[in-house]
Amino acid sequence: MEAVEMNSVSLKRPRSEDDVANADEIKRQKISEKSKTGNDSGQSVETVTEQPDKCLLEDTKNEIIPNEESEEQEDEELEDSDEDGDPESFADMMKHGLTESDVGITKFVSSHKGFSGILKERYSDFVVHEIGKDGRVSHLDDFSVPVDDEVNFEDPSEETFTVLSDEDKKRLEELQLLKNKETSVAIEVIEDTKEKRTVIHQAVKSLFPGLETKTEDRDGKKYIIAYHAAGKKALANPRKHSWPKSRGSYCHFVLYKENKDTMDAINVLSKFLRVKPNIFSYMGTKDKRAITVQEIAVLRITAQRLAHLNKCLMNFKLGNFSYKNHPLKLGELQGNHFTVVLRNITGTDDQIEQAMHSLREIGFINYYGMQRFGTTAVPTYQIGRAILQNNWNEVIDLILKPRPGAEKGYLVKCREEWAKTKDPAAALKKLPVKRCVEGQLLRGLLKYGMKNVISAFGIIPRNNRLMYIHSYQSYVWNNMVSKRIEEYGLRAVPGDLTLKGATAVHIEEGDVDNYTIHDVVMPLPGFDVIYPKHKIGEAYKEMLVADNLDINNMRHKIRDYSLSGAYRKIIIRPQNVNWEVVAYDDPRIPLFTTDLDKLEGKTLPVLPTDGKFRALKMEFSLPPSTYATMAIREVLKMDTSIKNQTQLNTTWLR
């Protein structure tokens, strides 16, 4: 079967009317919270339930974050407010973004006629369940807390969260974070009973890691005295002795989250628990605009404390708690299971059947998805190419120069200032969001000067820096796989590469009948990789020569930027593929139940048999580092770029 050239039809509406309404409501909540707490510092405030006094942090939400983090909080709020801008501005910005063909995504492998549909009209139309290394799919289906044989102060009762007054909590918070010169805090026991004193001891030790307590008589009254056991050392490593030896050091739990990416979710959890984010571990990051379910592990935080967050946080639920002796590691998963609804589809029943059968039997081209390359007129792969070329002035220019298309106002002003003065201090003054890449780079230039650009660039977090060169690798791979499909179609040919264990070998003429297209891999350019022994091997060399790079020497003088090669299957065949076409009238109603719906006993509304609209509900499992959007693209036969989606939906956006 030959590859089919792409045609362009609408994939999704970038924002629904519900989104805009929700964004306005979130803004109102933030403004309301600030007015209640007297917060005029610009710090972001997490949305909570209707009884914030029972939550870990609500009465001290402005005090819990050390001063040096306030700038980061301001950044988060500014970024959030910009994301809630009107859709027409967003569409205008995307006019100068990338299309699929700009990053080498040009082929299809199926022969059916494409049709249109709306992806992620509601974020709840896209659900991801993590598949662990044992093949088990993560589900949130149990809120119960495991019971230990040993009892300790880490296991708080419900009363623990309400026994301390707001003033007590504020003083304890300041003591815990060493924000004043007090060496202890005295809490008077109003109703002096042993039970009451025990609850106060528990509350302090549970809610303020690093503090110890004792009981004292003062003027005939009982006081609980809180103090630091070992100063900063105790804060960094709270009360190891209080953790039962029979209990695993890590609490594993399932995190159900809505419309939030994994790192943002962990940052929220860490703030509410008063711990550093680096004590959390996970196997993979998950989409933001989706409902996702994944396993998380956290060091020496009890299930009781974690379970209490269910009463405090919106858009998160934690459950399926267990104690284990090990954290989780990135990449230790088999993949992800997707449940996706494509709304308002136009395909006939026959087209849909052909599309889904092809997805199940043949699969889709394993392209790197559009999110790999950025959304502005300056693609991330261009910056990666400049890094590999050791062209640091171009790296700085590409990141900081003005670019066509609408952008956040402060970024436009920052870029204009940089173009006019090349003064990092002046450009930085135009930038209230210092945590963005542009702000970090300008700070680096301010610190190290224009003659030490490499060190200045190094201030950007390592993962962000490596993202650029990985984007270039992905750009090359996408282009080369398109050429491979165009040249040889959907069959293994002599000179192709296949994997034997972890080693890539060439398919020889006499063995070609033993392989299918699903066995063929293509290299990501780097050192210590081999290339196909046919036209595509030469095409790799030509592409890198055109980019002024030596395919035989991908080692960079800065070790971090040396590209290690890898191999990637060119066709992925999803597992566990199922689908159903349903009719509906109201685009706001859900078309399947989530884990949380099931726990709360919610059922689906009765759907009409002859509704105004039709939706395609599909399920499939994919291995790590593959893109569900590329599978959906193959079904619909369309360009998935934001640029294309917004341009095709401008009437709706108005």
Side-chain angles (χ1 to χ4, degrees):
M1 192 182 303
E2 291 304 313
V4 182
E5 294 294 339
M6 65 162 46
N7 60 303
S8 293
V9 288
S10 169
L11 172 64
K12 70 173 180 178
R13 298 170 178 165
R15 291 166 61 92
S16 72
E17 291 156 357
D18 287 344
D19 291 338
V20 176
N22 289 342
D24 290 341
E25 179 60 26
I26 290 167
K27 286 180 181 178
R28 285 194 293 272
Q29 287 177 4
K30 285 184 177 181
I31 293 167
S32 172
E33 288 291 341
K34 285 185 196 176
S35 64
K36 287 177 186 175
T37 59
N39 178 11
D40 57 1
S41 67
Q43 290 184 332
S44 64
V45 179
E46 294 298 333
T47 308
V48 296
T49 58
E50 294 172 355
Q51 295 177 307
D53 55 307
K54 290 188 178 180
C55 295
L56 256 63
L57 306 183
E58 292 319 287
D59 41 21
T60 56
K61 56 169 70 81
N62 289 328
E63 288 79 31
I64 63 167
I65 301 164
N67 292 335
E68 62 267 22
E69 293 185 18
S70 62
E71 186 178 84
E72 180 177 317
Q73 298 303 301
E74 291 168 4
D75 287 356
E76 286 176 359
E77 182 154 295
L78 282 162
E79 287 176 346
D80 286 345
S81 64
D82 270 306
E83 285 176 4
D84 295 335
D86 78 77
E88 289 189 44
S89 297
F90 180 75
D92 187 46
M93 179 170 73
M94 288 302 105
K95 287 177 183 175
H96 299 274
L98 298 170
T99 63
E100 287 185 346
S101 59
D102 292 329
V103 295
I105 302 173
T106 60
K107 303 295 179 183
F108 294 103
V109 297
S110 52
S111 59
H112 71 275
K113 184 180 178 182
F115 54 93
S116 68
I118 304 170
L119 172 64
K120 294 188 181 182
E121 182 172 48
R122 308 170 81 239
Y123 68 76
S124 53
D125 285 345
F126 196 92
V127 178
V128 186
H129 287 88
E130 189 172 71
I131 306 173
K133 60 182 179 180
D134 58 358
R136 183 179 54 84
V137 179
S138 291
H139 282 281
L140 181 75
D141 53 21
D142 183 6
F143 284 140
S144 66
V145 172
V147 178
D148 281 334
D149 293 333
E150 298 181 50
V151 178
N152 76 99
F153 282 134
E154 277 284 326
D155 298 338
S157 64
E158 191 60 35
E159 191 181 359
T160 296
F161 299 101
T162 58
V163 69
L164 299 173
S165 70
D166 292 355
E167 181 60 29
D168 288 338
K169 290 179 182 177
K170 182 177 179 180
R171 292 169 62 212
L172 289 165
E173 186 72 53
E174 290 174 347
L175 177 66
Q176 180 206 29
L177 297 175
L178 305 171
K179 291 174 69 174
N180 55 35
K181 295 182 179 179
E182 279 190 277
T183 58
S184 65
V185 168
I187 301 166
E188 184 180 354
V189 184
I190 304 299
E191 303 169 20
D192 183 22
T193 64
K194 184 177 180 181
E195 291 76 14
K196 189 72 171 182
R197 294 196 301 271
T198 299
V199 170
I200 296 175
H201 282 293
Q202 285 181 326
V204 174
K205 293 187 174 188
S206 296
L207 303 183
F208 300 93
L211 298 185
E212 294 292 344
T213 57
K214 60 184 177 181
T215 303
E216 282 187 5
D217 283 308
R218 293 183 180 179
D219 301 324
K221 297 179 180 179
K222 283 281 195 303
Y223 288 85
I224 305 297
I225 310 299
Y227 61 96
H228 262 296
K232 290 183 179 180
K233 191 173 181 182
L235 182 60
N237 206 357
R239 297 188 320 282
K240 278 191 174 182
H241 63 275
S242 68
W243 193 266
K245 292 180 180 178
S246 61
R247 176 194 285 170
S249 293
Y250 294 87
C251 185
H252 287 231
F253 62 94
V254 169
L255 172 65
Y256 170 105
K257 63 180 181 63
E258 299 181 356
N259 212 24
K260 201 94 171 171
D261 71 32
T262 301
M263 270 314 303
D264 285 343
I266 284 175
N267 285 335
V268 170
L269 296 179
S270 65
K271 287 170 189 172
F272 272 71
L273 292 167
R274 298 184 179 92
V275 295
K276 294 182 178 179
N278 62 6
I279 71 169
F280 291 86
S281 58
Y282 50 91
M283 294 183 287
T285 57
K286 300 290 179 280
D287 299 54
K288 175 180 179 179
R289 187 166 169 74
I291 291 175
T292 70
V293 183
Q294 68 184 117
E295 188 173 349
I296 305 286
V298 60
L299 177 64
R300 293 180 181 272
I301 298 292
T302 65
Q304 283 87 348
R305 289 183 68 190
L306 293 167
H308 185 74
L309 296 181
N310 287 331
K311 300 179 181 180
C312 306
L313 298 174
M314 290 183 67
N315 301 328
F316 299 99
K317 289 295 177 183
L318 289 65
N320 296 81
F321 302 103
S322 63
Y323 293 107
K324 300 181 181 179
N325 289 317
H326 58 84
L328 296 170
K329 294 181 181 178
L330 276 172
E332 272 191 339
L333 67 165
Q334 274 193 23
N336 296 287
H337 185 75
F338 297 87
T339 306
V340 178
V341 169
L342 300 176
R343 291 183 183 253
N344 201 16
I345 56 171
T346 62
T348 65
D349 288 345
D350 187 53
Q351 283 176 303
I352 293 165
E353 285 296 304
Q354 286 184 47
M356 295 307 298
H357 276 287
S358 177
L359 182 67
R360 184 167 62 188
E361 302 304 323
I362 300 174
F364 63 96
I365 303 173
N366 193 20
Y367 286 123
Y368 286 96
M370 294 302 297
Q371 56 265 55
R372 192 83 168 186
F373 305 102
T375 57
T376 71
V378 178
T380 51
Y381 75 81
Q382 290 184 2
I383 299 168
R385 179 169 55 201
I387 293 170
L388 295 170
Q389 292 169 340
N390 213 29
N391 188 345
W392 291 101
N393 288 331
E394 184 175 359
V395 171
I396 302 303
D397 184 53
L398 286 170
I399 294 175
L400 295 179
K401 72 179 182 180
R403 54 196 62 183
E407 243 192 335
K408 295 175 182 178
Y410 55 80
L411 272 175
V412 172
K413 292 175 183 176
C414 171
R415 297 188 195 287
E416 288 173 348
E417 184 66 34
W418 174 256
K420 183 171 65 178
T421 66
K422 291 292 190 287
D423 181 349
L428 200 57
K429 285 180 181 177
K430 304 285 185 182
L431 196 62
V433 177
K434 306 292 195 294
R435 191 165 52 101
C436 62
V437 167
E438 292 83 358
Q440 291 162 333
L441 179 56
L442 287 167
R443 276 196 262 192
L445 291 170
L446 198 59
K447 180 176 181 178
Y448 294 104
M450 294 296 293
K451 292 184 178 179
N452 195 352
V453 171
I454 294 176
S455 294
F457 182 72
I459 260 188
I460 298 171
R462 184 174 184 271
N463 284 349
N464 290 26
R465 287 181 279 124
L466 297 186
M467 172 195 71
Y468 293 123
I469 61 173
H470 293 155
S471 177
Y472 178 73
Q473 271 186 316
S474 305
Y475 171 71
V476 172
W477 196 91
N478 278 0
N479 278 277
M480 291 300 100
V481 81
S482 290
K483 284 183 180 291
R484 163 63 183 74
I485 296 289
E486 181 178 1
E487 189 69 34
Y488 300 111
L490 297 179
R491 58 193 176 92
V493 299
D496 273 338
L497 293 167
T498 190
L499 289 177
K500 296 260 182 91
T503 306
V505 297
H506 289 101
I507 298 176
E508 302 298 336
E509 181 81 44
D511 292 332
V512 72
D513 291 339
N514 297 325
Y515 297 96
T516 71
I517 191 67
H518 299 100
D519 299 312
V520 178
V521 298
M522 296 266 285
L524 284 92
F527 56 83
D528 296 334
V529 298
I530 60 174
Y531 294 86
K533 285 184 179 177
H534 49 50
K535 291 181 181 179
I536 307 307
E538 293 303 314
Y540 270 98
K541 294 174 186 176
E542 291 167 8
M543 186 171 185
L544 267 69
V545 166
D547 286 343
N548 198 27
L549 294 169
D550 182 357
I551 200 168
N552 297 312
N553 183 16
M554 300 302 290
R555 295 187 185 273
H556 198 280
K557 68 177 186 179
I558 301 170
R559 185 177 178 182
D560 260 1
Y561 310 135
S562 291
L563 272 187
S564 57
Y567 299 95
R568 181 176 177 88
K569 285 195 170 186
I570 69 173
I571 301 290
I572 290 292
R573 188 161 44 190
Q575 301 298 305
N576 308 310
V577 178
N578 292 289
W579 67 92
E580 178 188 7
V581 177
V582 297
Y584 65 101
D585 286 321
D586 186 349
R588 294 169 298 178
I589 64 169
L591 298 179
F592 60 84
T593 53
T594 65
D595 286 359
L596 188 57
D597 291 335
K598 293 170 186 174
L599 277 167
E600 294 177 347
K602 293 180 181 177
T603 57
L604 286 177
V606 177
L607 297 174
T609 55
D610 56 349
K612 290 186 294 185
F613 309 109
R614 293 159 71 238
L616 172 59
K617 293 166 57 177
M618 61 168 79
E619 288 190 61
F620 53 87
S621 299
L622 295 177
S625 191
T626 54
Y627 291 77
T629 50
M630 293 295 100
I632 295 163
R633 167 189 182 269
E634 188 70 44
V635 170
L636 295 174
K637 304 289 276 291
M638 60 180 51
D639 184 333
T640 62
S641 66
I642 298 175
K643 176 178 180 178
N644 187 59
Q645 295 158 33
T646 52
Q647 298 310 303
L648 291 167
N649 283 289
T650 51
T651 301
W652 178 86
L653 285 167
R654 292 192 181 95

